[in-house]
Structures are given as structure tokens and as C-alpha cells.
Amino acid sequence: MRLIDVDKIEINEECTFSGKGIKAFLNAVPTAYDVDKVIERLEQQKNQYFRRAEEIKNKFGENYESQKNYGKACSYDHAIEIAKSSYIA
């Protein structure tokens, strides 16, 4: 899903739209915020911290650094849930 930049919409008094015309018009409006891309990036960051935590744990055992990376991964997971719940799909 993406949010459009309403400030970039220009409609004059002579505009008329049909079903397909409305969708084409809205698709042409610049994106202000693409929730799916944000979630994708957050997922990448979460996975990076999770992998790092696993590497540290496997090499040195459970320690502060592995716990710190697990904590960061959990924080990203929480941010993903917030982003997903912030819009109606």
C-alpha cells in the first residue's frame, strides 16, 4: 500500500472521472509514503540483527553482545507491527 501526496493533486473544475479513470488518476499521483517498502526495510534490519546475534551466540555463547542484538531485532519486530497496524489494508 502507498499513501499519495495530496498536495501534488491538481484537479480543475472540468475534471470528470469514471471507475477506471479514477484509479489511473490516483496511480499517477506521486507517492508520499510506501508502507510496504518501509516494512520491507525494517524486516531486513531485523534479520540482520538476528543473524548477528546468532553468529555471536554460536561463536562465544550467550553474552551481552548477543543479547543486545536479539533486543534490537525484537525492537525492529515491534516497529514492523506498529507500521502494519497503522494503516488499513
Side-chain angles (χ1 to χ4, degrees):
M1 181 186 124
R2 66 186 184 98
L3 301 176
I4 59 174
D5 189 347
V6 177
D7 294 332
K8 303 252 170 118
I9 295 176
E10 294 181 22
I11 301 176
N12 61 38
E13 295 174 16
E14 299 170 11
C15 287
T16 58
F17 294 105
S18 64
K20 288 182 181 179
I22 292 171
K23 188 170 184 175
F25 173 77
L26 291 175
N27 282 333
V29 176
T31 300
Y33 179 78
D34 189 330
V35 176
D36 294 329
K37 286 183 180 178
V38 170
I39 291 172
E40 180 182 332
R41 183 72 175 118
L42 290 170
E43 288 278 358
Q44 291 171 352
Q45 288 294 111
K46 176 187 85 169
N47 293 335
Q48 178 183 353
Y49 281 113
F50 185 75
R51 281 191 304 273
R52 181 70 178 136
E54 288 292 305
E55 289 171 4
I56 293 168
K57 181 181 171 187
N58 291 336
K59 190 171 185 178
F60 303 108
E62 196 75 30
N63 63 25
Y64 172 75
E65 282 299 314
S66 66
Q67 288 297 317
K68 185 170 73 170
N69 281 280
Y70 280 125
K72 288 180 181 181
C74 288
S75 295
Y76 275 98
D77 201 39
H78 185 64
I80 291 164
E81 291 306 313
I82 291 170
K84 285 180 178 178
S85 68
S86 294
Y87 71 97
I88 300 171

